Amino acid sequence: MKDIVANRKKIGLVQKIQLMRTALLENGFFWTTHLILYYAASSIADSVYTRMNQLRTKRDLPGIHSVAMNREIWRSWDWESGGEEWTPSVEWKKSLTDSVLLKYMTKGGRILEVGPGAGRWTETLQKIAGHLIAIDISDRCIEICKRKFAGCDNAEFLVSNGSEVPLVEDDSIDSIWSFDVFVHINAPEAGEYVKEFKRVLRAGGHAAIHHGQDGGVHGGWRSNLTSKTFRAILEANGFRILTQFAEWRDGEQVFKISQYGDLLTVFENPG
Ligand SMILES: C[S@@+](CC[C@H](N)C(=O)[O-])C[C@H]1O[C@@H](n2cnc3c(N)ncnc32)[C@H](O)[C@@H]1O
């Protein structure tokens, strides 16, 4: 239904009238009035989203992606589905795990995860890590993870202040993973995290970070961190970018990082 409504931008007035006429003939006045309302409300919601994005850029507002907003949103999130509501398919998750996560994270190494949520990727990271440190701005997520991974003596979970890596020594981490997190972190805080990555990642260590591309222009409530800005921040901090991609191939199949054109950037600390 959402796609049919989104298609309104591509069809002319005559086609719209024809569509409504058919709906009216087949479903009657009452139902068709509701369809028109839905159509109009979706249109208004789209315009409001675009306007909010423009205002955010023009007035340099944090939108819903400040540290305080992120803390509140994720503390009160319904974690019943464990974050799997963001997994488009079982195949997608398996391929992202096998083709990306396992390719870049050092097995047996000290791995840092930023923003584990309810542990959607932590499950795999904990299994392959010699030692795993996961930090999250939400104390609730940290509680959930502590419960889920109780008994795993190679994993520790810490609440972060939203821009720093707490209690982790310099040059002590082999790999860093973060998925579905930097899409919600604005550029200034992302910049602070990158400084911290430079501090904790040992020379030769890799990081794989999922982030937005265009500041949410194409939907998805993305932060103002664009791919261009992220690249610039990484280079300014002396990282070497190894690859940056929006999709990957796995045999015959091509998978997208997300439906909003997000990217995954893999970078290395050259030392
Ligand atoms: C959309 S959820 C994704 C959770 C998990 N990575 C997954 O893919 O299922 C976003 C997560 O990022 C965390 N987060 C948001 N801003 C953060 C920040 N500045 N520092 C650390 N974690 C943050 C949230 O608390 C939440 O756990």
Side-chain angles (χ1 to χ4, degrees):
M1 187 62 186
K2 238 183 138 194
D3 290 347
I4 294 173
V5 173
N7 195 49
R8 70 179 179 275
K9 290 174 190 154
K10 296 176 192 154
I11 61 174
L13 185 63
V14 178
Q15 282 167 299
K16 277 181 192 147
I17 293 169
Q18 181 57 37
L19 197 72
M20 290 307 158
R21 206 172 144 262
T22 310
L24 191 63
L25 284 173
E26 293 186 345
N27 300 280
F29 176 76
F30 194 56
W31 189 89
T32 307
T33 309
H34 282 76
L35 177 68
I36 292 169
L37 273 178
Y38 181 79
Y39 217 80
S42 306
S43 186
I44 292 168
D46 273 3
S47 306
V48 172
Y49 177 87
T50 304
R51 183 75 187 124
M52 282 168 73
N53 236 9
Q54 288 164 347
L55 274 174
R56 180 175 68 145
T57 308
K58 194 169 156 202
R59 300 191 183 174
D60 197 18
L61 301 172
I64 63 166
H65 303 294
S66 66
V67 167
M69 286 290 275
N70 264 318
R71 192 177 287 117
E72 291 309 322
I73 290 168
W74 303 112
R75 177 183 276 159
S76 54
W77 192 257
D78 176 2
W79 288 102
E80 197 62 36
S81 307
E84 296 299 342
E85 61 270 40
W86 302 303
T87 299
S89 69
V90 174
E91 294 75 26
W92 175 90
K93 186 176 179 187
K94 183 173 183 323
S95 184
L96 183 61
T97 303
D98 295 346
S99 309
V100 183
L101 187 154
L102 294 177
K103 181 171 175 186
Y104 294 111
M105 301 293 105
T106 308
K107 287 163 205 74
R110 285 175 61 83
I111 300 179
L112 170 70
E113 182 182 15
V114 180
R120 183 163 60 130
W121 308 102
T122 320
E123 290 167 358
T124 305
L125 295 169
Q126 182 273 325
K127 284 191 193 114
I128 63 160
H131 190 81
L132 173 72
I133 301 167
I135 63 167
D136 201 294
I137 198 171
S138 158
D139 51 358
R140 186 139 163 269
C141 291
I142 293 301
E143 277 313 309
I144 292 170
C145 284
K146 277 185 178 168
R147 250 182 285 127
K148 190 166 175 178
F149 298 97
C152 299
D153 55 12
N154 69 335
E156 57 181 310
F157 298 94
L158 306 166
V159 178
S160 82
N161 70 359
S163 59
E164 285 171 7
V165 178
L167 305 173
V168 175
E169 283 176 24
D170 298 2
D171 304 315
S172 64
I173 297 292
D174 296 295
S175 314
I176 304 174
W177 174 261
S178 187
F179 200 91
D180 244 345
V181 179
F182 280 74
V183 293
H184 301 298
I185 298 180
N186 277 333
E189 289 81 54
E192 293 305 307
Y193 264 130
V194 171
K195 275 189 210 155
E196 284 284 83
F197 294 168
K198 185 71 180 163
R199 177 180 73 76
V200 299
L201 196 62
R202 66 163 177 78
H206 289 168
I209 308 290
H210 162 215
H211 56 88
Q213 172 153 218
D214 55 17
V217 173
H218 295 104
W221 296 98
R222 272 24 194 165
S223 76
N224 65 15
L225 178 67
T226 62
S227 52
K228 204 171 152 209
T229 306
F230 195 50
R231 259 194 112 87
I233 293 172
L234 291 174
E235 282 164 358
N237 281 277
F239 282 111
R240 184 186 302 137
I241 295 168
L242 301 180
T243 177
Q244 194 171 51
F245 55 95
E247 54 185 36
W248 73 96
R249 179 172 283 283
D250 187 349
E252 291 295 294
Q253 276 188 288
V254 176
F255 292 100
K256 281 186 191 329
I257 293 292
S258 86
Q259 58 176 312
Y260 303 112
D262 300 338
L263 300 176
L264 191 127
T265 299
V266 182
F267 51 96
E268 181 186 48
N269 183 8

